Amino acid sequence: MNYKPLKDAQAFNASRWTESLDTWKKAQGDKEVAYRAFIKNLTESHYYGYMNLPENGENIDYDHSFFTISPQDGSSNFISVYTTMKELESSIAKPTEMATGRKIEAVEVNYAFLARELTLADTDQIDGIVINPFTDDYILTREEIVNISRRLCTGLNHTEDLGNFTPANIFIKEVWKVIQNCNDDDQRAELFSHVIDAIKDASLALPVVVKKADLVVEDGETYIDNPDTDLAIRMLSSEDRGDKASIVPLFTSQEDIETLDGWNAEDDERTTLFMTSDIDTHIAGLNNGEDFDALVINPFTDNIVLTKEILTGLGFIEGEE
C-alpha cells in the first residue's frame, strides 16, 4: 500500500501545483501548454488526507478509506485531500469518534494512490476527489483521470506510469485477482465480462523491435521518423498438441513488461520499444499483415488469453466470410 503515516512523511513543496493551477485557469493564450504544466505538477505532487484504518494493522490494502466531504445539499461525495498541512488542518472531514477497532490516521499519498482509490471506489458512493476543498476546490473526476492517463501513457515507451495512472489497467488486474480465487462458474463469467469491458478502455503496451536509424527524439519524446519503417513485433510462441501458436503479448504496466525476458534488448542497429495504445488500434495494425493466433495480456503474470475465436466472438475482429 503506497502511503506513509504523516509522522514519517517527507516534506514537499506544493506551491508548484497551486501556481500551475492558477496559471491554467488564467491562461488567455495557449491554454494547452498551461494545462500540460498543471498535469505534470498534479501527477508529481503528494497529498495529505485522513484515513479510516484498522487498529490491528491487518488487511490494510483493502480495509481502508479516506474521509469524504460533501456540499451542503448532499448531492455528491468526494474523497478530500490537501497539498499542505495548513490545508489539512482546515479539514472538516475528520470525525472525532471511531468505531471499536478502528483508528484515524493522517497520511501522505501520491497521485497514483489517488487514481487507484477513485478507480476502485463505488461509483454510487464516491463522485470524485476534491483537492484543497476550502481554497482551490479542484475536483478530479473519473473522466479526468482517464484523460490524464491517455495523455501521459499513449505513444512510444510511455510505460513508467501505465499501471498506476490508467484506470482500466488498474481495474483489469484487481478483478483478475478475484477471478483467480473464484470457484463459481457463473460468477467467473460475469467477472470476466467486466474484465473485457475494461480491456476495451485500457492502454496496452505492445513490444516491437525498430531500427535505431528510423527513430528521432524531440523534447524527450521518441518518434518513428520513417513511415515505412520495418516494425517487428516481439511475438511469443506456444506449443500445444504439437501445433505452434504465434502469440502477441500485451502489457498493462511497467512491472508486467519487466517479466518479459530481454524486454529492453538492443544491439548496434535495432532496439525494443513499447507502443502503447488501445486494443482496437493494436488489432488494426495486426490485421495489416501480422499472422497471429492469440493475444495474451500480461503473459507471465495474469496470463489473460484472448484467442482469435474469442476476439471474433467479442467483436474485436470481424469474422471470416
Side-chain angles (χ1 to χ4, degrees), residues 65-84:
S65 61
F66 277 104
F67 291 106
T68 59
I69 194 167
S70 301
Q72 288 186 344
D73 62 8
S75 58
S76 48
N77 196 31
F78 301 100
I79 294 170
S80 58
V81 294
Y82 311 85
T83 58
T84 67

Side-chain angles (χ1 to χ4, degrees), residues 215-239:
L215 298 176
V216 63
V217 178
E218 294 180 359
D219 298 327
E221 299 283 340
T222 301
Y223 303 95
I224 296 175
D225 191 41
N226 178 7
D228 299 320
T229 188
D230 178 23
L231 297 178
I233 294 174
R234 289 277 302 274
M235 292 277 198
L236 303 178
S237 63
S238 174
E239 294 187 9

Side-chain angles (χ1 to χ4, degrees), residues 250-262:
L250 296 170
F251 300 89
T252 61
S253 73
Q254 178 65 28
E255 290 75 16
D256 289 298
I257 285 170
E258 291 175 9
T259 63
L260 174 65
D261 188 29

Side-chain angles (χ1 to χ4, degrees), residues 101-205:
R102 309 296 297 182
K103 66 177 179 179
I104 304 168
E105 187 159 15
V107 299
E108 177 192 354
V109 299
N110 59 14
Y111 173 83
F113 190 99
L114 295 179
R116 183 178 184 277
E117 289 294 292
L118 189 54
T119 296
L120 300 178
D122 188 332
T123 56
D124 292 331
Q125 296 184 17
I126 303 296
D127 296 284
I129 296 166
V130 59
I131 301 172
N132 296 337
F134 307 109
T135 52
D136 298 319
D137 192 29
Y138 187 81
I139 294 175
L140 186 63
T141 63
R142 287 181 174 80
E143 181 181 12
E144 186 166 5
I145 65 170
V146 168
N147 291 334
I148 288 170
S149 72
R150 287 174 178 163
R151 281 174 170 268
L152 298 180
C153 299
T154 298
L156 291 176
N157 274 12
H158 293 184
T159 60
E160 182 179 353
D161 297 310
L162 185 60
N164 297 319
F165 287 8
T166 310
N169 294 28
I170 296 168
F171 190 79
I172 288 169
K173 294 189 74 68
E174 290 298 319
V175 177
W176 196 251
K177 290 177 189 175
V178 178
I179 290 177
Q180 298 302 94
N181 294 306
C182 178
N183 296 317
D184 184 301
D185 289 343
D186 289 338
Q187 187 177 11
R188 284 172 64 91
E190 181 181 354
L191 290 169
F192 186 70
S193 71
H194 292 307
V195 170
I196 294 301
D197 287 340
I199 288 172
K200 294 175 182 177
D201 294 328
S203 294
L204 303 169

